[in-house]
Structure formats: C-alpha cells, structure tokens
C-alpha cells in the first residue's frame, strides 16, 4: 500500500542552529512527502519537508512513534510510520532509552495518534460497506482506525455518536470524531470522519472517491455538520 501524508502546510519556522547528537542510523522517507516538526507531536509547527526516498540521519527514536533527526543544522522530528528504518536489510540502531519522558500518551497526544493512524489510509478507495484497507466507507474507516488503537466503536455512523463526550465545532481537537447528515435525503446522521486540525477532517466520502482530507470551514460539509465526539480526554 502506498503511504502518504497530507497534513495541511504551516508557516515555515526557522530552526536555531544547534549541535545535533551523533546519528545512530540512516533512514529514508517512505511517503510522497513527510513533514518535519519541531517536537514529537502532530500539532507541532512544521519546520520543512522531506520527500520520497530522501535520506535522513536518525539520532534516536522517541516514544515509539517518532524519530529525532538532524534537519538543516538542527533537530527535527518525523513520524516513524513514514520512514524506512533499515538500510540494505540491516535494522536501524537507535537508543531505546532516550527521551523516555514523552512516551506517555494521554489526552491530546492520543488524539494526534488517531490522526497519524487515519493518515496511513489516505488514498484508499471508497467501498460501500468497506471496513478494511482494501476499501472503506465513512464509518468503516473510523471504526478501523480506533480499533487499531484498542477502542471498539459501533459500525454505523449514527450509532458512533453513542461513544465519547459531545464536543462543539468551536472546541474541536485533532482526533475528535465529526458527524454530518445529508439534508436532501436523510433526517439522521449518515456521514462521519476524524478531525485533523486547522478546520479539516479525514474521511471516506463516497463511491468513486478515496480517503482524503476536506475542509469543515466552507462548502457542503460546513453546512451539514451536526456534532462531534471526543474519545480520548
């Protein structure tokens, strides 16, 4: 499966020049493009991007989810799910004891993990009734993502509102589940996705389309948004 990451671009931030630790290994980007962030979090500012096949010096792995890397004379962080961490069949060597302080995943950090997990399936085709990487419908995608993280959700979009706590549109955080209804055909919730931040959500829209990121700020989904739920507090 071709993996790619499609988070929204942020303003480019300059990195202070600091001496990087001695690299432990070399990795390569296994995605179309990969954001390099200032901290090991999905909501951290984007320092720049690396592209498919581009190599990086890995300093260590942090929290099991992130590589700390050398980037433009300083330090950056990339999600380990989008990096090939072995070269010529030899596993990468990294210091498993480094940065242990960030290994606790609670609250908003779990929301970021939801976003990272969902993003692995960008580009997967919409399949009515689909609930696997072979093809997803909207609620099948949401259910599958949360199942990967150990959370069991109902299968149907309307029934998924039974989980979590209600969240207003103004209070959305990455990882929250967002719900919609088609006012032309239905009187109940019939669509669902996962909020990724900056007014956008990831979802499996309809037949002929693919899992993708769409805005909540304007257009069809701005007008049909109903409610949201937060699973991780």
């Amino acid at each position: 499966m071709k993996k790619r990451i499609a988070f929204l671009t942020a303003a480019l931030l300059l990195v202070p020049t600091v001496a990087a630790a001695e690299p432990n290994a070399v990795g390569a980007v296994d995605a179309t493009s990969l954001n390099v962030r200032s901290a090991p979090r999905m909501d951290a500012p984007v320092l720049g991007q690396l592209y498919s096949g581009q190599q990086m010096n890995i300093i260590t792995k942090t929290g099991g989810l992130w590589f700390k890397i050398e980037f433009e004379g300083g330090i950056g962080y990339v999600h380990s799910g989008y990096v090939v961490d072995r070269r010529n069949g030899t596993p990468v060597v990294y210091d498993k004891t480094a940065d242990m302080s960030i290994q606790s995943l609670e609250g908003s950090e779990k929301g970021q993990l939801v976003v990272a997990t969902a993003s692995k399936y960008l580009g997967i085709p919409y399949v009515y009734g689909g609930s696997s990487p072979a093809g997803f419908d909207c609620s099948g995608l949401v259910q599958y993502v949360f199942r990967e993280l150990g959370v069991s959700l109902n299968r149907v979009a309307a029934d998924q509102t039974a989980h979590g706590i209600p969240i207003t549109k103004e209070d959305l955080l990455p990882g929250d589940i967002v719900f919609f209804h088609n006012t032309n055909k239905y009187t109940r919730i019939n669509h669902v996705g996962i909020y990724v931040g900056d007014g956008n959500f990831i979802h499996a829209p309809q037949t002929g389309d693919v899992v993708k990121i769409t805005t909540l700020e304007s257009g069809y989904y701005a007008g049909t948004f109903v409610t949201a739920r937060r699973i991780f507090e």
Side-chain angles (χ1 to χ4, degrees), residues 67-96:
F67 284 130
K68 179 191 288 185
I69 67 168
E70 291 183 347
F71 185 70
E72 297 184 350
I75 296 294
Y77 295 85
V78 293
H79 196 283
S80 60
Y82 303 96
V83 177
V84 178
D85 57 344
R86 55 180 60 224
R87 302 296 293 170
N88 300 320
T90 303
V92 160
V93 177
Y94 53 83
D95 180 3
K96 292 184 174 68

Side-chain angles (χ1 to χ4, degrees), residues 135-155:
F136 290 109
D137 64 13
C138 64
S139 57
L141 172 67
V142 173
Q143 184 190 53
Y144 191 89
V145 166
F146 277 89
R147 182 187 297 145
E148 279 198 61
L149 302 176
V151 177
S152 179
L153 299 183
N154 293 328
R155 176 63 177 87

Side-chain angles (χ1 to χ4, degrees), residues 37-60:
R37 298 185 180 271
S38 62
R41 307 188 313 271
M42 282 296 183
D43 61 346
V46 176
L47 304 177
Q49 287 190 318
L50 299 172
Y51 298 93
S52 180
Q54 192 169 349
Q55 294 187 14
M56 68 197 77
N57 288 329
I58 298 172
I59 298 168
T60 189

Side-chain angles (χ1 to χ4, degrees), residues 180-191 220 224 226:
F180 309 85
H181 73 99
N182 183 334
T183 55
N184 294 324
K185 295 181 180 179
Y186 301 98
T187 58
R188 70 193 298 257
I189 287 168
N190 74 320
H191 191 61
Y220 177 80
T224 57
V226 177

Side-chain angles (χ1 to χ4, degrees), residues 161-178:
T161 60
H163 302 281
I165 60 173
I167 299 295
T168 66
K169 191 174 183 180
E170 292 71 29
D171 293 330
L172 284 170
L173 291 175
D176 290 344
I177 306 174
V178 288

